[in-house]
Amino acid sequence: MLKIIPYQKCYAPDVSVLAHMAISQISDDIYTQQEKSAWSYAPRSSYHWHKRLLRSKSWLVVDEQRIESGRAFCCGFINLETHFKSRGYIDSLYVHPQYQQQGVAGRLYEVLAQWAVNNALPELFVDASKLSKPLFESQGFRLRHRSYQEKRGIVIMGYYMSKALAAVPQS
C-alpha cells in the first residue's frame, strides 16, 4: 500500500539513492548517458538531500508493504520551495524506477498542489525534464521557455513551466 507522508530525516539516505537511480535509469532515447552522468554521476550525500528537503515543503511516497532498513520503502518524493524569491518552485520530483508509470508522480503533485492552494500560493513553477514535461502539461502547466542547466560541463535541456492557481476563498 502506497502512502504519502511528510519528509522525515530517516529517509534521507533512501532519497539520495532514489534520485540517482531515477536519473541513471532514464532511457538513452530521452537523455544521453553523458547527460545522465553529468546530472547525477553518483548519489548525492544524505546530508545534501536532508538539508534540501528540510528547507522546503516536502513529501514522500512510501510502500508500507515493502520494508527495508526497518521502515517502509521510499518510492518517490517531491518538494516545493517556500522562501520568498523561489516561493512556488517545484524543486524536485523523482520516482523509483520500479514505481514509475503507476501514478506515483501524479499523486505527489496533487498533494503539493493542494498544499499550495491552501497556503494561497498564486502560481507554481518547475524546470521540467523531458521525462516529466507530459505530467506537468497534464496538470495544466504551460511552457514559458526552454531551460538549460550546465552540470559538470554538459548542458542539459529542460522546460521552464508555470501554472496559475485558484485562490481558496477566505471565510
Side-chain angles (χ1 to χ4, degrees):
M1 174 182 211
L2 299 183
K3 180 179 180 182
I4 298 178
I5 62 171
Y7 168 73
Q8 298 171 19
K9 181 180 181 178
C10 65
Y11 282 102
D14 302 340
V15 164
S16 175
V17 171
L18 187 157
H20 176 68
M21 285 182 66
I23 293 165
S24 65
Q25 293 187 26
I26 294 172
S27 168
D28 289 345
D29 295 340
I30 298 172
Y31 286 106
T32 66
Q33 192 61 47
Q34 186 180 30
E35 289 169 322
K36 292 183 292 186
S37 292
W39 187 351
S40 181
Y41 64 94
R44 301 280 307 255
S45 73
S46 298
Y47 177 80
H48 164 85
W49 280 108
H50 175 63
K51 290 299 181 191
R52 188 167 169 176
L53 297 180
L54 192 63
R55 292 181 180 146
S56 59
K57 189 68 182 167
S58 308
W59 296 268
L60 309 172
V61 172
V62 296
D63 185 341
E64 295 182 306
Q65 296 177 331
R66 183 174 170 184
I67 305 299
E68 292 189 10
S69 302
R71 61 185 171 271
F73 181 76
C74 179
C75 53
F77 69 96
I78 193 168
N79 72 309
L80 178 71
E81 296 294 328
T82 56
H83 294 58
F84 179 72
K85 287 187 178 183
S86 56
R87 186 171 165 85
Y89 182 76
I90 300 170
D91 178 53
S92 301
L93 171 58
Y94 291 102
V95 176
H96 190 283
Q98 293 175 352
Y99 291 82
Q100 292 177 5
Q101 304 300 316
Q102 297 179 33
V104 172
R107 287 181 59 193
L108 282 165
Y109 171 75
E110 287 171 11
V111 169
L112 178 146
Q114 188 60 57
W115 184 92
V117 168
N118 291 345
N119 285 274
L121 269 65
E123 194 168 18
L124 292 175
F125 307 90
V126 67
D127 277 298
S129 67
K130 294 176 189 177
L131 191 63
S132 65
K133 183 179 182 243
L135 168 77
F136 289 110
E137 287 175 329
S138 74
Q139 298 296 332
F141 280 74
R142 299 287 176 240
L143 178 66
R144 285 192 159 185
H145 57 78
R146 287 187 178 187
S147 61
Y148 300 88
Q149 295 181 16
E150 183 178 335
K151 296 180 184 281
R152 304 177 75 69
I154 304 296
V155 176
I156 301 170
M157 198 271 292
Y159 305 92
Y160 188 68
M161 305 175 81
S162 65
K163 176 184 178 178
L165 298 177
V168 172
Q170 300 295 320
S171 46

